[in-house]
Amino acid sequence: MCGIVGVVAKSNVNQTIFDALTVLQHRGQDAAGMVTCEADRFFLRKDNGLVNEVFRTRHMKRQLGNMGIGHVRYPTAGSSSSAEAQPFYVNSPYGIALAHNGNLTNTPDLREQMRKENLRHINTTSDSEVLLNILAHELQQIGKLKPTHEDIFAAVKAVHTRITGGYAVVAVITGYGIVAFRDPHGIRPLVYGKRETDKGTEYMVASESVALDIPGYTLVRDIAPGEAIFISQDGDVHTCQCAENPKLTPCLFEHVYLARPDSIIDEVNVYKARMRMGVKLAEKVMRERPDHDIDVIIPIPDTSRTSALEMAHHLDVKFREGFIKNRYIGRTFIMPGQTQRKKSVRSKLNPIELEFKDKVVMLVDDSIVRGTTSKQIVQMAREMGAKKVYFASAAPAVRYPNVYGIDMPSATELIAHGRTDDEVGEEIGADWMLYQDLDDLKDCVKAGNDSVTSFDASVFDGQYVTGDIDEAYLNRIDAERNDDAKDGENKPGSNENADLHATI
């Protein structure tokens, strides 16, 4: 899960990209980066940290040009070192910078192809750098001094035939424009919009529609699975279907947790989808315990608030804010390592005793992944005097690794893996554990767009839509990307490159 943005405008785009990245900050808090282009020069700034930490006034003054791309990152493939921060850059052909959201599932084979067949050096462990070099190689094969949009689309078609996984990509080509494309399954989201100015029409592509809203762009539509869009430096727009057999199977977890509620993804309003999740949870309560004794429903801020409110409304139970969130603590789920997650929970949430004391409390969260946070929150509720603590998840049990760009690589770190719902409840200390049914969750999203008929729901059902995932692959990524590996990477001294600002 990362956030990407690309802008072609009639004046400097540095502030627009900065604003968009700030809005997409929820998609990655590990690193941020920006490349802008003026004439035949790139201007790059990237580093570890939040957007407003990476880009200071002195950096923004150097980011010249009327087109550029940006990225916010959290590590899935690769390490959390600032050397892995995006965008990445190659100087041949033309000069290309690229940012990527997702994860390639055939990266080891691609690395070998790059080294042995394409004679290209990959400097980091990031699959995004591999992807950039593949795109660069395919553009080089065209062999033109001035490529047309047809040439660029031909290169994207070749890229699709070589890579597998979930990916949304934005790249800027020096002096030509921006190209963006989405994987043939549409797993990772990508939209584009435009705005009218006195100087002409300006365009933006981004991971979520909310990134378009703040700078005043109007959503045009989602990029279709397998589709590419090219926006020339002069503002001409071209689109092309570049995959042979595209099929929309978007990531279901985007609607549960990853996306902002004010976004629209694949024509589905995320906020309304989460409202429907709360209704479905209420219906399940009434099926399983029509004589329930719930006194109060309390959300675990922030993502679950919408579902919890609807759940309370349909059960005719009080809704209360029982936890106060420290706004200066990042999203626990996307912190790179279990040690950091454990430390952050108590400093992130503080309970209000009067909302718990002598009450039967139903806590509602968007999902339960590792269970560490949930266990501590249940314990907080008991310490505040709750008579009973129930726990509801707006998502089904997360039992399988994610391989398409979400940090769930190890089945052994998922609390629901190998456990029943009741056993999960016992593990986190809840008196009753209530999970959303998978079919109900799918219905909640499909209700917003009936043309979406299937999903990547692999974290819930273990079915991987790209068809190339086997036990050996899962074992390999478990060893490479589990929390023990990340905790080792985050030890003092592991981040050697403090400032990667460059003018290219």
Side-chain angles (χ1 to χ4, degrees):
M1 185 183 74
C2 298
I4 61 174
V5 61
V7 181
V8 176
K10 302 300 180 181
S11 58
N12 283 343
V13 296
N14 52 358
Q15 189 62 52
T16 300
I17 294 174
F18 176 91
D19 292 341
L21 292 180
T22 302
V23 173
L24 294 174
Q25 186 76 83
H26 62 286
R27 300 187 68 88
Q29 299 169 356
D30 184 65
M34 180 194 308
V35 165
T36 58
C37 181
E38 183 180 55
D40 60 350
R41 296 187 68 189
F42 275 154
F43 300 88
L44 167 66
R45 165 66 184 169
K46 59 180 180 176
D47 198 2
N48 275 9
L50 301 177
V51 175
N52 62 0
E53 296 170 339
V54 171
F55 300 105
R56 301 294 189 181
T57 301
R58 65 183 183 276
H59 305 126
M60 294 292 285
K61 287 179 178 179
R62 303 172 192 168
Q63 300 298 140
L64 306 176
N66 74 321
M67 68 177 182
I69 63 175
H71 186 267
V72 288
R73 178 182 188 265
Y74 94 117
T76 51
S79 73
S80 59
S81 165
S82 60
E84 309 281 317
Q86 298 183 40
F88 287 107
Y89 164 82
V90 291
N91 64 3
S92 177
Y94 315 119
I96 307 168
L98 177 144
H100 161 226
N101 171 32
N103 187 57
L104 305 187
T105 55
N106 61 336
T107 303
D109 292 339
L110 294 172
R111 286 182 180 277
E112 281 300 292
Q113 291 175 21
M114 286 286 98
R115 185 175 68 87
K116 294 181 178 180
E117 300 174 22
N118 303 150
L119 306 181
R120 284 181 172 267
H121 171 67
I122 307 300
N123 196 52
T124 70
T125 60
S126 173
D127 60 342
S128 302
E129 190 188 10
V130 174
L131 202 163
L132 167 61
N133 277 273
I134 290 172
L135 176 61
H137 175 78
E138 297 303 334
L139 282 169
Q140 189 114 37
Q141 299 312 295
I142 294 169
K144 286 186 178 181
L145 182 62
K146 294 184 178 181
T148 65
H149 63 272
E150 289 96 343
D151 297 326
I152 292 169
F153 290 145
V156 174
K157 289 178 182 178
V159 170
H160 280 318
T161 65
R162 296 183 64 174
I163 67 177
T164 59
Y167 50 91
V169 178
V170 61
V172 56
I173 305 173
T174 317
Y176 292 97
I178 283 178
V179 59
F181 53 94
R182 195 176 180 191
D183 70 79
H185 296 276
I187 298 171
R188 300 266 68 86
L190 190 64
V191 301
Y192 86 97
K194 64 180 182 179
R195 71 179 179 187
E196 302 296 335
T197 71
D198 294 340
K199 297 179 180 180
T201 306
E202 301 179 335
Y203 294 92
M204 178 189 290
V205 295
S207 293
E208 295 183 33
S209 64
V210 69
L212 308 175
D213 297 340
I214 303 304
Y217 285 77
T218 301
L219 174 66
V220 175
R221 64 176 175 86
D222 297 88
I223 303 298
E227 186 183 24
I229 181 171
F230 175 71
I231 307 166
S232 74
Q233 194 165 18
D234 295 327
D236 298 321
V237 178
H238 306 272
T239 61
C240 179
Q241 178 52 254
C242 295
E244 291 186 0
N245 298 298
K247 181 183 179 181
L248 181 60
T249 52
C251 174
L252 199 53
F253 207 69
E254 287 278 354
H255 293 275
V256 171
Y257 175 85
L258 302 184
R260 272 181 46 150
D262 44 348
S263 282
I264 298 171
I265 296 178
D266 294 312
E267 301 180 29
V268 178
N269 186 300
V270 176
Y271 178 76
K272 289 184 178 180
R274 289 177 183 168
M275 289 177 68
R276 291 188 284 266
M277 293 174 203
V279 175
K280 291 291 188 181
L281 280 176
E283 292 173 352
K284 187 169 184 179
V285 168
M286 294 308 296
R287 288 197 306 270
E288 295 195 359
R289 297 192 182 184
D291 56 347
H292 69 82
D293 56 350
I294 302 169
D295 293 318
V296 62
I297 289 178
I298 294 175
I300 298 169
D302 284 320
T303 321
S304 65
R305 185 174 285 114
T306 306
S307 298
L309 185 57
E310 283 300 294
M311 184 183 183
H313 174 72
H314 283 266
L315 289 175
D316 195 24
V317 172
K318 290 180 181 179
F319 172 89
R320 291 288 186 269
E321 296 283 357
F323 294 100
I324 301 301
K325 182 179 180 181
N326 183 345
R327 302 290 173 181
Y328 302 98
I329 300 293
R331 297 181 93 180
T332 317
F333 169 74
I334 63 176
M335 288 186 175
Q338 189 75 327
T339 302
Q340 286 180 262
R341 292 188 194 97
K342 288 178 179 178
K343 288 179 179 178
S344 72
V345 177
R346 288 280 179 166
S347 58
K348 178 181 178 180
L349 297 176
N350 195 46
I352 301 173
E353 182 177 4
L354 67 88
E355 298 296 356
F356 294 90
K357 190 171 180 60
D358 299 326
K359 296 178 182 178
V360 176
V361 177
M362 171 65 84
L363 301 176
V364 180
D365 208 349
D366 50 75
S367 59
I368 304 174
V369 180
R370 293 165 174 85
T372 307
T373 300
S374 304
K375 186 173 184 177
Q376 292 187 53
I377 288 172
V378 170
Q379 183 59 34
M380 285 187 215
R382 294 200 185 281
E383 290 171 359
M384 293 298 103
K387 287 195 297 185
K388 297 180 184 177
V389 181
Y390 304 151
F391 204 105
S393 168
V398 176
R399 292 196 164 96
Y400 303 93
N402 184 277
V403 300
Y404 301 127
I406 305 175
D407 189 21
M408 303 177 189
S410 174
T412 57
E413 292 171 357
L414 306 174
I415 191 171
H417 182 75
R419 290 188 175 98
T420 66
D421 295 356
D422 289 342
E423 287 171 342
V424 173
E426 182 177 349
E427 185 70 18
I428 68 172
D431 296 295
W432 179 27
M433 183 67 237
L434 183 74
Y435 275 111
Q436 187 86 265
D437 293 336
L438 181 55
D439 286 341
D440 284 347
L441 177 60
K442 291 179 179 179
D443 288 343
C444 290
V445 179
K446 287 192 289 186
N449 181 1
D450 56 13
S451 67
V452 182
T453 58
S454 58
F455 299 91
D456 164 45
S458 53
V459 297
F460 307 123
D461 61 13
Q463 303 299 310
Y464 297 95
V465 297
T466 53
D468 60 338
I469 305 303
D470 56 19
E471 195 66 29
Y473 179 89
L474 295 177
N475 290 337
R476 179 175 62 80
I477 65 168
D478 186 340
E480 292 175 355
R481 291 161 47 193
N482 62 34
D483 275 333
D484 286 341
K486 284 183 180 170
D487 283 339
E489 289 166 1
N490 294 322
K491 289 178 181 178
S494 63
N495 182 9
E496 297 176 357
N497 299 304
D499 191 342
L500 296 179
H501 190 281
T503 301
I504 301 171

